[in-house]
Amino acid sequence: MGNNAWIVDNLNNALNTWNGKLAEIWQLLTQSPQTFKGGGVWAVMVSIHGALQAIGYGLLVLFFAAGVVKTCGSFVEVKKPEHALKLFIRFALAKGAVTYGLDLMLAVYDIVQGMVTTVINRSGVGGMTGMTLPQELIDLIASVGFWDSIPLWAVTLIGGLFVMVLSFTMILTVYGRMFSLWMYTAIAPIPLSSFAGEPTSNVGKNFLRSYAGVCLQGVVIALACIIFSTMATAAPAVDGSVSAVTAVWSYVGELVFNLLILVGAIKGCDRIVKEIMGL
């Protein structure tokens, strides 16, 4: 290959970065927040969750009192058995939500994780297929002289930069989902305490719906990866009848377009889930 080895190396480095980020996404989709990065972050979030439970219990009483004042016109109504029983049940359920909120959230996550596993198993895709540089393109680059390799270097540099930017954009979106799961876990006692009062219960409902939506993003991301893997089974075609610069530019352009489709689908998972959940 001679002096043009660095051109091929530039493209291979970009593809290796993309393949590494795809493999990392697959790992993130099949790994729980409890075990991710050794479970260190999860332990901290659980500790914060436990500390905020004390505040949640205080807000529980406050929301309950506000709900009683809002829903009952006078103290006489509170003494009625049906009203008293309704208020007692609401308070008990709200307290249970604050006390066992973490278990409830983990149950929701396990259900959605089961959906992700089912989608992956039924698709027959055990992981993302890595992309490699076609041998025809390598041979075409090797046949180029020194002066002709200068514009070729510019093309591969721009193309490799695009691929690496798309790789990091894609993985940041998936990491953002994991960060959201941790944050929801940490602050859960505060919004869940709002179930104690009827006027404030919508806060808790919206919190649970939003959390379920974040969990459901994993299913949408898995579907996007599966669809992309099925579409991109064949590498972009290499036309050997044109110049090396044109062939490389055509290959890089088609490659970037395919990657843009996946990145767009992954970044749009939040919008898709919001439309599904009505958020």
Side-chain angles (χ1 to χ4, degrees), residues 180-258:
S180 296
L181 291 173
W182 285 328
M183 293 176 184
Y184 273 89
T185 300
I187 66 171
I190 306 302
L192 290 178
S193 65
S194 64
F195 280 118
E198 186 174 347
T200 58
S201 61
N202 283 333
V203 176
K205 294 176 183 177
N206 290 335
F207 173 80
L208 291 178
R209 289 169 61 194
S210 298
Y211 175 76
V214 173
C215 293
L216 198 59
Q217 285 180 19
V219 180
V220 179
I221 293 173
L223 287 171
C225 292
I226 290 168
I227 293 171
F228 173 80
S229 181
T230 305
M231 290 177 56
T233 51
V238 178
D239 187 0
S241 62
V242 297
S243 66
V245 174
T246 303
V248 172
W249 184 254
S250 177
Y251 173 84
V252 170
E254 187 175 351
L255 178 66
V256 170
F257 176 76
N258 290 338

Side-chain angles (χ1 to χ4, degrees), residues 1-9 135 138-139 141-144:
M1 197 179 307
N3 295 328
N4 295 334
W6 50 274
I7 298 177
V8 176
D9 290 340
Q135 186 61 43
I138 296 176
D139 295 338
I141 293 173
S143 64
V144 175

Side-chain angles (χ1 to χ4, degrees), residues 49 53 57 92-106 192:
H49 177 96
Q53 272 186 326
Y57 289 134
L93 291 176
K95 183 181 183 302
V98 174
T99 304
Y100 303 104
L102 183 59
D103 295 329
L104 173 63
M105 296 173 70
L106 288 176
L192 290 178

Side-chain angles (χ1 to χ4, degrees), residues 24-34 36 42 105 108-117 169-185 210-222 266-267 269-270 273:
E24 193 171 354
I25 285 178
W26 213 249
Q27 181 184 11
L28 286 171
L29 291 177
T30 55
Q31 194 173 26
S32 67
Q34 300 99 305
F36 182 71
W42 177 258
M105 296 173 70
V108 173
Y109 179 82
D110 289 339
I111 292 172
V112 177
Q113 197 65 17
M115 295 170 60
V116 173
T117 303
T169 301
M170 176 181 61
I171 195 64
L172 282 174
T173 303
V174 182
Y175 265 103
R177 171 181 176 264
M178 189 67 71
F179 271 71
S180 296
L181 291 173
W182 285 328
M183 293 176 184
Y184 273 89
T185 300
S210 298
Y211 175 76
V214 173
C215 293
L216 198 59
Q217 285 180 19
V219 180
V220 179
I221 293 173
I266 290 178
K267 286 190 68 66
C269 69
D270 181 51
V273 170

Side-chain angles (χ1 to χ4, degrees), residues 29-202:
L29 291 177
T30 55
Q31 194 173 26
S32 67
Q34 300 99 305
T35 59
F36 182 71
K37 298 295 183 181
V41 179
W42 177 258
V44 174
M45 295 301 104
V46 170
S47 177
I48 295 173
H49 177 96
L52 290 180
Q53 272 186 326
I55 301 176
Y57 289 134
L59 291 174
L60 190 73
V61 177
L62 180 62
F63 289 139
F64 177 75
V68 171
V69 173
K70 186 74 174 179
T71 57
C72 298
S74 65
F75 184 71
V76 177
E77 293 185 20
V78 180
K79 293 193 295 183
K80 292 180 180 180
E82 60 273 17
H83 284 290
L85 179 61
K86 182 180 178 181
L87 291 172
F88 173 77
I89 293 175
R90 175 178 289 276
F91 183 83
L93 291 176
K95 183 181 183 302
V98 174
T99 304
Y100 303 104
L102 183 59
D103 295 329
L104 173 63
M105 296 173 70
L106 288 176
V108 173
Y109 179 82
D110 289 339
I111 292 172
V112 177
Q113 197 65 17
M115 295 170 60
V116 173
T117 303
T118 300
V119 167
I120 293 174
N121 292 338
R122 293 294 294 177
S123 68
V125 179
M128 297 301 298
T129 303
M131 292 184 294
T132 56
L133 205 60
Q135 186 61 43
E136 299 93 328
L137 192 66
I138 296 176
D139 295 338
L140 194 62
I141 293 173
S143 64
V144 175
F146 173 75
W147 293 110
D148 291 334
S149 68
I150 296 176
L152 202 59
W153 173 84
V155 171
T156 55
L157 181 64
I158 296 172
L161 181 62
F162 265 108
V163 172
M164 295 187 72
V165 169
L166 290 174
S167 302
F168 286 104
T169 301
M170 176 181 61
I171 195 64
L172 282 174
T173 303
V174 182
Y175 265 103
R177 171 181 176 264
M178 189 67 71
F179 271 71
S180 296
L181 291 173
W182 285 328
M183 293 176 184
Y184 273 89
T185 300
I187 66 171
I190 306 302
L192 290 178
S193 65
S194 64
F195 280 118
E198 186 174 347
T200 58
S201 61
N202 283 333

